[in-house]
Amino acid sequence: MSILDKVKIGNSVQINLELSKDRLTKETIDAINVSSLGKISDFRITDGKGIGVVLQLSNGKEQWFFEDEIDILDENGNVIKKNNDKKKNSNFIFDFLRGLNYENKNKVSELLNPINFFIWLAVSLKDIF
């Protein structure tokens, strides 16, 4: 579920300063220290896959944040827990492939072994799927 399904422009969110302070200016950090709440003013595509939000801070300035740098609040002001569904493909084959590691081979007999080739191929392709 995307952030777009959970919040709308005008909703308030809480900023997690620990995840974002390395890229923010001192003025922005001071505004977040005064109030960690921000009001959503816009959405932006961050890296072609993710959605970021533009927040209006307590000092009136706007700053964008990645989706994982904010906590969504409910109507009572309580933080809604995030659902990290990173393991959608949770079956034996995918678990086995995630556990494979390939070590570089130096001997000719190791290079010609077809099992080593298939392990290399599986490790190379597991990040694609």
Side-chain angles (χ1 to χ4, degrees):
M1 183 176 283
S2 166
I3 190 170
L4 296 172
D5 299 330
K6 298 177 185 174
V7 294
K8 297 186 180 354
I9 292 177
N11 288 22
S12 293
V13 295
Q14 185 173 5
I15 303 162
N16 188 339
L17 186 58
E18 293 300 315
L19 296 176
S20 57
K21 72 177 169 183
D22 61 331
R23 64 175 185 83
L24 300 175
T25 64
K26 183 178 180 339
E27 179 184 13
T28 304
I29 292 172
D30 291 341
I32 295 170
N33 284 330
V34 169
S35 174
S36 64
L37 297 179
K39 189 175 190 180
I40 297 176
S41 61
D42 199 7
F43 295 100
R44 299 269 166 91
I45 295 176
T46 56
D47 61 359
K49 294 187 225 175
I51 302 291
V53 292
V54 178
L55 299 179
Q56 184 173 8
L57 304 175
S58 62
N59 64 357
K61 304 274 184 183
E62 289 191 340
Q63 177 69 40
W64 72 270
F65 292 90
F66 290 104
E67 183 178 359
D68 61 342
E69 295 175 340
I70 62 169
D71 294 320
I72 300 170
L73 303 175
D74 63 8
E75 56 276 348
N76 298 326
N78 299 322
V79 175
I80 298 173
K81 293 194 178 211
K82 293 181 181 177
N83 236 356
N84 293 335
D85 291 339
K86 294 196 179 192
K87 268 194 147 181
K88 288 180 185 175
N89 298 323
S90 173
N91 61 31
F92 175 74
I93 295 172
F94 286 110
D95 290 340
F96 177 76
L97 290 176
R98 280 187 202 101
L100 282 180
N101 290 319
Y102 179 77
E103 297 177 15
N104 289 331
K105 308 298 182 198
N106 296 325
K107 296 179 184 175
V108 174
S109 62
E110 292 175 336
L111 292 173
L112 295 176
N113 186 341
I115 295 173
N116 288 333
F117 170 75
F118 287 114
I119 291 173
W120 168 83
L121 184 63
V123 169
S124 299
L125 293 177
K126 76 177 177 182
D127 294 332
I128 296 172
F129 303 105

